[in-house]
Amino acid sequence: MITPAVSFEFFPPRNLDQSFRLWDTARALAPLGPDFVSVTYGAGGTTRQLTHEAVTALASHYGLNVAAHLTCVDATREDTMQIVADYAAAGVHEIVALRGDAPQGQDRFTAHPDGFANSVDLIEAIAARGDMTVRCGAYPEPHPESPDTSADVAWLKRKSDAGATSAITQFFFDADTFFRFRDQCHKAGVTAEIIPGILPIQSWAGARRFAERCGTSVPAWAEEAFANAGKEGEARLALDVCVKLCEQLVAGGVDKLHFYTLNKPELVLKVCGALGVTPKGEIPNAA
């Protein structure tokens, strides 16, 4: 089995304790030599400044290639593109361009009158600069606002055509879910690289909540397995399930995996170790 390249997603800290957790997580995972790490953007743009601070710190102190999440929510085109310019000035040249979720209290996304209408428009504007690698999101199972997977494939084709060179998928439980989606995308002419998003299950209850929120189906085998494992067996089962999923993906031709870390490195490190992804150097000095 080949050893896959890996990348990691972090979220920006909102308090001092979360800051320590983020830096500890980055310090633990940086030696694995990730292709890139991404930093999320809170719903409604609520972590805009926190995301910027985390991105620039990870890039400057840990030597990581950082992809900053950026959304269209509640911002003008001018303000959004100024954020991109600020990242470029700070030496950050990767963006994960997303439409974004609706602000709190709103049922659906509504574009700012002077803002980008959707992720395709945002991707096109960033790509036109010529100095940014643009990544985007993808949905192996229907997005909560999408009628079916075919619509998601068509939308990803538009994002790819607009300039996104890679797409990171929402998490899923079965490898076949990813393979079916990948095959549909290739058939539709999507040229962007499709990287599977992997959620190591830190908590089964938490994973189920995430799944419900983003439209990921929870298979009966997973419900039964985690119910039978109980609290004592959950951690071991989570490791086995994640490693098996990753091994199936690699066996099916996947050579890159993107891990949603939740700023908790321990399980991610164990999964990577089982896949042959080991430290490539000294832990960076974040001084």
Side-chain angles (χ1 to χ4, degrees):
M1 186 178 74
I2 68 166
T3 301
V6 296
S7 54
F8 306 116
E9 179 182 285
F10 305 135
F11 61 80
R14 293 175 181 267
N15 55 48
L16 186 59
D17 285 345
Q18 288 185 6
S19 292
F20 284 126
R21 184 196 297 178
L22 171 59
W23 308 133
D24 287 346
T25 301
R27 187 175 175 82
L29 295 177
L32 298 183
D35 275 357
F36 67 95
V37 300
S38 65
V39 181
T40 63
Y41 212 65
T46 51
T47 66
R48 186 173 295 142
Q49 185 58 34
L50 293 174
T51 297
H52 187 274
E53 291 170 358
V55 166
T56 53
L58 287 166
S60 61
H61 296 317
Y62 289 88
L64 294 166
N65 181 31
V66 188
H69 283 217
L70 185 62
T71 75
C72 308
V73 178
D74 198 26
T76 66
R77 286 174 173 258
E78 182 179 0
D79 288 344
T80 302
M81 293 309 293
Q82 184 59 53
I83 293 171
V84 178
D86 290 344
Y87 278 131
V92 174
H93 293 282
E94 295 211 14
I95 297 288
V96 181
L98 308 163
R99 187 202 68 180
D101 296 325
Q104 190 170 3
Q106 296 183 21
D107 292 334
R108 296 178 67 87
F109 170 84
T110 302
H112 188 286
D114 298 317
F116 291 102
N118 51 52
S119 57
V120 173
D121 288 349
L122 176 60
I123 290 165
E124 194 169 47
I126 298 171
R129 286 175 51 96
D131 62 347
M132 285 284 173
T133 295
V134 187
R135 304 180 187 273
C136 66
Y139 295 86
E141 297 175 276
H143 183 280
E145 297 176 22
S146 176
D148 53 38
T149 297
S150 295
D152 289 313
V153 170
W155 195 250
L156 180 57
K157 175 69 162 60
R158 291 186 62 192
K159 290 190 279 190
S160 177
D161 291 347
T165 56
S166 72
I168 304 165
T169 76
Q170 185 55 268
F171 80 96
F172 50 88
F173 288 99
D174 285 317
D176 284 344
T177 299
F178 174 81
F179 292 137
R180 283 192 296 268
F181 177 71
R182 182 187 65 181
D183 292 347
Q184 285 181 269
C185 289
H186 289 169
K187 187 176 180 180
V190 174
T191 57
E193 180 181 41
I194 303 173
I195 305 172
I198 308 297
L199 179 70
I201 298 171
Q202 311 282 357
S203 155
W204 177 239
R208 291 188 83 263
R209 286 194 299 270
F210 290 147
E212 183 176 354
R213 192 161 67 232
C214 67
T216 297
S217 60
V218 179
W221 66 258
E223 291 274 23
E224 182 179 357
F226 279 95
N228 291 336
K231 282 296 180 183
E232 291 185 0
E234 185 173 290
R236 179 62 193 174
L237 177 60
L239 176 60
D240 291 344
V241 165
C242 194
V243 170
K244 181 179 179 181
L245 173 61
C246 293
E247 288 177 341
Q248 290 173 333
L249 291 169
V250 172
V254 170
D255 59 2
K256 294 182 180 179
L257 301 169
H258 185 71
F259 290 93
Y260 297 113
T261 71
L262 305 183
N263 292 12
K264 296 178 180 179
E266 294 83 8
L267 180 54
V268 179
L269 283 168
K270 290 178 181 178
V271 172
C272 286
L275 298 173
V277 180
T278 54
K280 295 174 173 57
E282 295 296 322
I283 294 174
N285 181 3

